[in-house]
Amino acid sequence: MSGKKLTCFKCGQVNRVPFDKLMAEPKCGTCGTGLMTGGVPEVDLATLEKAARTDDVPIVVDFWAPWCGPCRQMAPQFQAAASDLKPQARLVKLNTEDHPNAGAKFRIRGIPTMAAFSNGKERARQSGAMPSSAIVSWVKASV
C-alpha cells in the first residue's frame, strides 16, 4: 500500500495515509485524532523523536516555554503558518519547560527556536520570533 507515514501526535501510533487522502482530514486508526489538521499540537520528546524519524511529511517543531515573551508573541504566527503549510509540513510545539531533556538533546540555546525535520534528519534550524509569512518561506526553503 502506498501513502505517507504520519505519527499520531496524541497516541504515537504510526499511520499510513494514501496520498489522495492527505487533504481530507485523515484520522489516526487507533485513537481517531486528526493527523493533518493544520493545527499545532503540543508534543513530548518521545513523540517528536518518533515522528522525526518515521514520518514521510516534514515536521517543524517550535521549541518554546510559557514564560518566554517572544514565544508567546510568535504562537499565533506559527499557527497561521501551520494552516498555510498543510499538507506540505506538520507543525508542532514542544514546551522546553515541561520537557527539559528535549532542550538538551537538541542543543537548544535560546527560544523560540524552530527545527525542521525531513527523512529522519534535522534539515534546518531558526531562532527568534518570526511572522507567519517568514515561517512559511523558511519551511518551504528548508524541507
Side-chain angles (χ1 to χ4, degrees):
M1 175 191 218
S2 64
K4 299 276 190 182
K5 290 183 286 185
L6 301 173
T7 302
C8 176
F9 294 130
K10 183 174 181 184
C11 74
Q13 178 67 39
V14 176
N15 295 262
R16 188 171 294 278
V17 177
F19 296 110
D20 60 338
K21 302 290 185 201
L22 285 176
M23 286 298 288
E25 301 291 331
K27 295 191 183 328
C28 175
T30 300
C31 73
T33 298
L35 297 171
M36 187 73 73
T37 64
V40 182
E42 283 278 344
V43 296
D44 59 22
L45 177 58
T47 303
L48 173 61
E49 288 178 316
K50 184 175 188 178
R53 184 177 61 247
T54 307
D55 285 18
D56 293 325
V57 174
I59 306 284
V60 178
V61 60
D62 172 21
F63 293 94
W64 76 288
W67 50 262
C68 169
C71 297
R72 290 193 317 271
Q73 179 185 11
M74 190 174 84
Q77 302 299 314
F78 197 70
Q79 173 63 54
S83 182
D84 290 346
L85 288 164
K86 175 188 168 185
Q88 300 164 325
R90 297 198 301 162
L91 279 60
V92 299
K93 296 177 83 63
L94 189 141
N95 183 333
T96 57
E97 187 86 0
D98 291 344
H99 305 282
N101 291 342
K105 175 165 181 52
F106 289 103
R107 299 176 320 280
I108 303 301
R109 304 279 185 247
I111 54 175
T113 292
M114 293 182 296
F117 296 89
S118 177
N119 299 319
K121 295 186 171 133
E122 183 177 335
R123 301 293 176 186
R125 182 178 289 217
Q126 175 71 42
S127 293
M130 298 169 65
S132 63
S133 59
I135 295 169
V136 170
S137 296
W138 176 77
V139 171
K140 287 181 176 181
S142 300
V143 294

